[in-house]
Amino acid sequence: DTEVTQTPKHLVMGMTNKKSLKCEQHMGHRAMYWYKQKAKKPPELMFVYSYEKLSINESVPSRFSPECPNSSLLNLHLHALQPEDSALYLCASSQGLAGVGEQYFGPGTRLTVT
Amino acid sequence: GESVGLHLPTLSVQEGDNSIINCAYSNSASDYFIWYKQESGKGPQFIIDIRSNMDKRQGQRVTVLLNKTVKHLSLQIAATQPGDSAVYFCAENMYSGGGADGLTFGKGTHLIIQP
């Protein structure tokens, strides 16, 4: 199984809502990532979890809160978002070993903030 | 700032021809490079990778060339097919010694296949 799954596929939320994005992989990977991709732009790194610990936070606003409950799951909790946060949110995973970089991406969650 | 970039936003080629997509990077410490393909509505899909101790790597119908002297990366696709239509991103991973690292993506090239 070389698949990263993400739910939901689409999400519309108001600026006062609280919602969560979910990501799951069963490849035994120990590193998981969140990226944000705006239309016609490349993905931009948000967070890296390595062995279930947050290792990189690319200065992401606190209205985005990541969580890694176990080695297969990654969540992104959303609260008080702004319309400019509307984007495709991509989850990825990799083996997590030092120097091994290939990342497998999920299909993404298309988020619209109204 | 962004350390990986692409020269052309759109590349149009005839079906059956070879395609060459270019990428320039600025961080000479980068040690690992990847090409991804992203189709509309999907996540990036791994195509091929290359480490900084190599200058060429071949896959099925694809070849990646790395020129560290001028910090240039290219992806060659042989006998381009309609299914190759997508946006292609190069990405770099600078191994920081801390384990998993995120990727820095270039701007992307939209490859259009003409029948």
Side-chain angles (χ1 to χ4, degrees), chain A residues 71-85:
Chain A
S71 60
S72 300
L73 294 173
L74 186 67
N75 298 322
L76 186 63
H77 303 299
L78 314 172
H79 173 53
L81 294 193
Q82 303 297 311
E84 59 264 29
D85 296 322

Side-chain angles (χ1 to χ4, degrees), chain B residues 7-77:
Chain B
H7 296 303
L8 292 174
T10 302
L11 176 65
S12 184
V13 299
Q14 292 290 125
E15 182 178 347
D17 287 353
N18 297 335
S19 303
I20 299 176
I21 301 171
N22 295 305
C23 177
Y25 66 95
S26 58
N27 192 340
S28 56
S30 294
D31 68 338
Y32 179 68
F33 303 88
I34 309 176
W35 281 99
Y36 281 96
K37 171 186 179 183
Q38 188 173 26
E39 297 174 278
S40 182
K42 296 184 179 180
Q45 176 188 357
F46 172 86
I47 301 173
I48 192 167
D49 59 1
I50 188 167
R51 298 200 178 275
S52 58
N53 60 355
M54 304 170 69
D55 54 21
K56 181 179 180 179
R57 189 155 189 239
Q58 288 185 292
Q60 189 172 15
R61 277 203 311 120
V62 295
T63 301
V64 56
L65 299 177
L66 176 62
N67 186 330
K68 294 182 286 294
T69 303
V70 295
K71 289 185 279 189
H72 183 267
L73 194 67
S74 70
L75 176 71
Q76 300 177 0
I77 304 174

